[in-house]
Amino acid sequence: MADMGAALTGADKRVVTGGNQPLDWANSDRLDDIATVRALKASDGPDLLIQGSSTLYPPLLAAGLLDGLVLMTFPLVLGTGKRLFGHGTLPTSAHPEPVTSRPEQERQRRMQHGTW
């Protein structure tokens, strides 16, 4: 099996950014906006793939530029921050399971206070 790092370094990479920071990773090209992504998608070439961008997929989805979406979830997400599905999606804590043990009650109390 080939070295994954070498494969990623050798792959063509498109970076959607409004910034002008240097793109130091080999084979990286800057795309300025969603219109540029639309033009790239319409051209001949390999399929495009996004990995791990919570800021890029929403405008691509809104523009109708995603042919498929693979969502990988993990059983537990803690803390605050950017919401994965935005407004209108209830957090899992909106439907809490009954807590019966003292250790679990204490764990949840510490989580709420950020001291876990």
Side-chain angles (χ1 to χ4, degrees), residues 55-77:
T55 57
L56 181 56
Y57 85 85
L60 292 174
L61 188 60
L65 293 174
L66 295 183
D67 296 324
L69 182 63
V70 175
L71 178 63
M72 295 173 26
T73 61
F74 297 88
L76 181 63
V77 178

Side-chain angles (χ1 to χ4, degrees), residues 75-86:
L76 181 63
V77 178
L78 301 175
T80 60
K82 185 187 302 184
R83 299 209 30 141
L84 180 61
F85 291 105

Side-chain angles (χ1 to χ4, degrees), residues 97-110:
E97 295 292 324
V99 177
T100 56
S101 72
R102 282 192 192 273
E104 178 60 13
Q105 289 174 350
E106 177 61 20
R107 185 186 72 81
Q108 289 188 14
R109 185 193 67 73
R110 287 193 321 266

Side-chain angles (χ1 to χ4, degrees), residues 29-47:
D29 295 308
R30 184 181 321 278
L31 302 178
D32 296 321
D33 54 28
I34 299 301
T36 310
V37 175
R38 182 181 306 280
L40 180 62
K41 186 177 185 319
S43 68
D44 290 334
D47 290 343

